[in-house]
Every structure is written in C-alpha cells, then in structure tokens.
Amino acid sequence: MQAAELKKNHMDILWHEYTDKGGEDRPVTEASLTEKASIIGRVGIMLLSCGTGAWRVRSSMNELAEIMGITCTADIGLMSIEYTCFDGEDGYTQSLCLTNTGVNTSKLNRLEKFIRNFEKDGKNISGEQLHQLLDDIEKIHGLYSPAALGMASALACGAFTFLLGGGPIEMFCAFIGAGIGNFVRCKLIRHHYTLFLCIVSSVSLACFAYAGLLKLGEILWNVSIQHEAGYICAMLFIIPGFPFITSGIDMAKLDMRSGIERFVYALLIIFVATMAAWIMALILHLKPIDFPKLSLQLWEQILFRLMASFCGVFGFSIMFNSPTRLAAVAAGLGAVANTLRLEFVDLTNMPPAAAAFIGALTAGVLASLIKNKAGYPRIAVTVPSIVIMVPGLYLYRGFYNLGIMSLSESASWFAAAMLIIMALPLGLIFARILTDPSFRYCT
C-alpha cells in the first residue's frame, strides 16, 4: 500500500473551527472560552512536538492563559496533553496527542518569540489571526535536506570518534558510516516510516559502511584491523540525548509522567539501536576493542578537543534543526564545557560522572549568561551543548557484553553510563537553580 493510501491513525485537528464565527475583528481577550482554550492548547502541543519538557510547555500555556484572563491546568506527557481552562463560570477540557515526537529548535525559537510578544501584540488580534500565525510556525518542518543532515551527522560522529580516543582512520570511517546512516534515517522519517525501522536500517547501514571501508583499507593499504573499534562511533547519531536530558529536568520539577515517559522512550531507542549494532557486529565479526593510543602533547590534546567538541556539538545542533547561528552558539558552549570535562578526568583522575556534572553545570551557567544576548531559548542551547557528553560508547559496550554473557563487565559499563546520564541533567538543573529564580521554587 502506498503512503498516500494509508489512513491516518491520528485525525487532524481543524483549529480554525474553534474560532468564534463573526469575531474576526474582536481581540482574543474578548473571545469565548473555547476559542481562548484552542490557542493555549495548540501552542502547548506545538511546543511539545519540538522536544521541550513539560515544565516549559506548562509555563507557556499558563502565560497565555493569564494574559487572556483565564486559568489553565495541564497534565503533560511525552506525546499528549490533557488540559482544562476555566473563566470563573465555565470550564473547557481537551485532550491533544502528537503523531510522532522529535526535536526542532528552529520551531521552538519561533514559538518562544510568539509567546514573548503575546502580551504586546497577540492579545490585541483575533483568535483567527492567531491561528494563522501558528499555521505559519507549524509549517517549519526541517530547515535542512537529508543530505545536509547526513553531513551534520558525519561531522558530529567524526568529532565524537576523536573525543573517544580514535585516530584519523576511525574518524574517516565513522564520518562516512554516520553520514550514510543518518541520510537513510532522514529519508525514512520523511516518508513516515515507523521508529524501529528507521533505527535498525540506519544503524545497520552505518556499521556496514564502516566495516566495508575498513576492509577496503586493509586490502589496499594494509590498514590494521585494530581500527575496527570505531564502528561504534558510526552509529552514535542515533543516541537520544535530548529526551534523556529533558527527562531528568522534568523529574526534577516533579513532572513525573513526562519525565518517565521521556526516559523510557530514550531507553527504547538505545535498546533497539544497540541490538541492531550488536547483530551487525556478529555478522561482520567486529569487536568493541580499545582504540590505538594517540601520542599528543597536552596543548595539542586540549586544542584538538576544543575543535572536535565544537564540530561535534555543531553537527548535533544541525540535526536538531537549529539555524546555523544557534548551532554555532551551542557549539561554542559545548567546546568549553566538554573540553573542561575531559581534562578534569585526565588531569585530576576525577570520576567521569562527577566531571560530567561539572561540564553540564558549566554549559548551563554559560547559557544563562548569554541567553538574553543570543536571543534563543535556553534549552535550545544547553541540551545540544551537552549531548556530546552522553556515553553512547558505554551503553553499547554494556549491551555487547550482555549479549556475549560477560555479565560482570556488562554491569560495569551500564553502571558507569547511568551515573553519567544522571549527572548531565543534574548539572543543567543546578545551573538553572543558580541562575533562574523562577526555577528554584515548586509553585
């Protein structure tokens, strides 16, 4: 059956039918409760579709409700919102659901501006005009083609390879493998294929491309098979850093439904991706051995880590649909924070989880300092800047050793990964507590 013939499982919501007939020239503050609630709900579900957490979605819905003179309460998950609006006389309840989830920082930025300008401009126009503005924002799907997103993934994973200890050969093979893998993944997503198919296809192709290039290098230039360790890096574009980190932020604000759903979603992606990579490793006879040691002086190591961190975060930001200027801001923060984290581990023997906390805290504080000047939502800068710290290598090695029944080693890798994963959102949370008075309280 062709995609055009498929019947949608989620029906479209005709938002313009919720506006008052004959009220095209009346400000939304004078509209009916239904019309006001439709604006609030639509903004909330659009924010949720961008990948932002429940706390930010709820605060935005509350801000709009307050300006329009009504009260709003909302229960928010990963894919759905149930909310009720009151005006002192009547109540209006609605349930909204997404067809899919993802990350779109460009749309998030436009929505943040819409909310910031609502007090000045939005409340003085009609609900129909507001829905037209939201129509324009909703049209922002991807800023980049699958080929551009493949290149961004290649850049990110090539840089990630160096940060994990790989050399030029591993970086080149991971660059090509990740580029091909994410290109195919983006093409499948655009045709609305299911999550599992997108993950398995892209990860398998990335591993196959890495192994094929390495085998070609071995035949033509006698490249050592020891460079096979980098095949893990070719699949790291699939690591769900955004939901991992926002799940911790949600749970810190006691948005347990959203936090748990996001965390389970991230674990689901990790499980499917590592399973696919493990099966490919068995088929292609690949093993996650240690990288050959690089001989670099301290100043060279720091310089290359700064460069690789910048490129890695820039690539991931582009994959999150960030404009290039926003991606560059996030990359600058990530370069400083990630290099600081790595040097703490190397120079002071600090445990990786503690260093991850300091790196995330640094990124969060720096983002708060430049937030007003940069003009972008804080989460659109902070989360991409620390995604490169998510221990995808640890998670894969944990699953690989689990598959070969090396249980003690598997538990060691998983434990190290979970400590780092918990430390990253904690760093951002405490940075937010230190710099944002509204985040310090449970109100």
Side-chain angles (χ1 to χ4, degrees):
M1 183 181 290
Q2 296 297 317
E5 301 173 2
L6 291 175
K7 187 175 181 179
K8 291 183 178 180
N9 190 247
H10 294 265
M11 297 180 70
D12 292 329
I13 297 176
L14 305 177
W15 292 107
H16 292 270
E17 292 188 357
Y18 288 86
T19 59
D20 299 335
K21 306 308 176 188
E24 291 81 1
D25 298 324
R26 186 172 57 198
V28 71
T29 50
E30 300 175 11
S32 67
L33 178 62
T34 300
E35 183 168 329
K36 293 177 180 178
S38 72
I39 299 293
I40 294 168
R42 188 177 185 186
V43 170
I45 202 69
M46 287 173 68
L47 281 168
L48 196 64
S49 73
C50 298
T52 193
W55 186 83
R56 185 64 192 124
V57 174
R58 183 180 292 105
S59 64
S60 298
M61 294 173 73
N62 290 345
E63 188 173 342
L64 296 180
E66 185 177 351
I67 293 170
M68 288 189 281
I70 61 176
T71 302
C72 178
T73 63
D75 183 25
I76 302 165
L78 171 68
M79 300 279 290
S80 62
I81 298 175
E82 289 79 41
Y83 72 104
T84 300
C85 292
F86 310 89
D87 65 358
E89 297 179 0
D90 299 310
Y92 179 86
T93 299
Q94 193 168 38
S95 177
L96 303 173
C97 186
L98 296 172
T99 59
N100 202 350
T101 186
V103 181
N104 190 329
T105 53
S106 177
K107 185 187 288 186
L108 175 60
N109 185 39
R110 288 280 299 275
L111 284 167
E112 291 270 354
K113 289 179 179 177
F114 174 88
I115 295 162
R116 282 199 305 268
N117 296 332
F118 195 83
E119 172 73 41
K120 179 182 177 182
D121 302 319
K123 69 177 184 180
N124 298 316
I125 61 178
S126 69
E128 176 65 26
Q129 290 171 312
L130 289 170
H131 277 300
Q132 289 172 2
L133 292 175
L134 293 173
D135 286 342
D136 293 337
I137 297 174
E138 204 158 42
K139 292 174 184 175
I140 302 173
H141 296 295
L143 295 177
Y144 307 101
S145 67
L149 292 171
M151 283 298 297
S153 169
L155 179 66
C157 291
F160 218 146
T161 305
F162 173 78
L163 295 170
L164 292 171
I169 294 173
E170 292 92 347
M171 290 173 67
F172 175 76
C173 293
F175 181 94
I176 300 298
I180 293 172
N182 199 45
F183 170 78
V184 170
R185 173 172 166 262
C186 293
K187 294 289 283 186
L188 292 174
I189 289 173
R190 290 199 174 191
H191 288 87
H192 306 290
Y193 283 100
T194 188
L195 176 68
F196 283 19
L197 177 61
C198 295
I199 295 171
V200 171
S201 301
S202 58
V203 168
S204 299
L205 272 173
C207 292
F208 185 80
Y210 187 100
L213 284 171
L214 188 61
K215 189 64 177 177
L216 186 65
E218 184 183 1
I219 294 170
L220 297 179
W221 298 290
N222 200 30
V223 173
S224 172
I225 195 64
Q226 191 177 2
H227 296 291
E228 68 181 342
Y231 81 93
I232 304 168
C233 304
M235 56 159 279
L236 292 181
F237 62 87
I238 208 72
I239 297 300
F242 221 97
F244 256 142
I245 293 162
T246 53
S247 71
I249 296 173
D250 276 347
M251 284 189 271
K253 296 298 291 183
L254 299 184
D255 278 308
M256 302 305 291
R257 176 190 165 195
S258 177
I260 292 170
E261 288 182 12
R262 288 172 186 277
F263 187 71
V264 171
Y265 170 72
L267 287 181
L268 186 65
I269 294 175
I270 290 293
F271 175 79
V272 175
T274 51
M275 173 69 84
W278 175 59
I279 292 172
M280 289 300 296
L282 295 179
I283 294 171
L284 300 170
H285 306 290
L286 299 171
K287 295 181 180 179
I289 57 179
D290 292 331
F291 291 105
K293 191 72 175 177
L294 296 176
S295 298
L296 294 174
Q297 297 182 25
L298 179 60
W299 70 268
E300 292 175 322
Q301 178 178 273
I302 293 173
L303 178 62
F304 288 143
R305 280 178 171 174
L306 282 168
M307 293 169 60
S309 297
F310 183 94
C311 292
V313 175
F314 185 85
F316 279 120
S317 295
I318 294 297
M319 289 167 61
F320 295 150
N321 204 43
S322 300
T324 52
R325 184 170 175 267
L326 172 55
V329 172
L333 265 64
V336 173
N338 191 51
T339 303
L340 181 67
R341 172 184 73 94
L342 293 172
E343 296 308 319
F344 267 124
V345 173
D346 287 350
L347 301 181
T348 68
N349 292 318
M350 181 180 287
F357 175 84
I358 292 175
L361 180 69
T362 302
V365 171
L366 289 175
S368 296
L369 293 176
I370 67 168
K371 177 179 178 292
N372 292 332
K373 292 182 180 178
Y376 294 117
R378 192 193 320 255
I379 196 170
V381 177
T382 53
V383 176
S385 70
I386 68 169
V387 161
I388 203 166
M389 304 180 194
V390 175
L393 176 65
Y394 289 22
L395 290 166
Y396 174 73
R397 285 195 167 185
F399 192 92
Y400 179 90
N401 284 287
L402 180 65
I404 61 175
M405 291 295 112
S406 181
L407 300 182
S408 60
E409 192 167 353
S410 172
S412 177
W413 283 110
F414 275 130
M418 292 311 297
L419 284 172
I420 295 173
I421 287 170
M422 289 187 289
L424 290 174
L426 276 176
L428 288 187
I429 290 162
F430 277 93
R432 192 73 178 266
I433 289 170
L434 291 172
T435 60
D436 184 359
S438 66
F439 199 83
R440 293 174 199 160
Y441 303 98
C442 184
T443 55

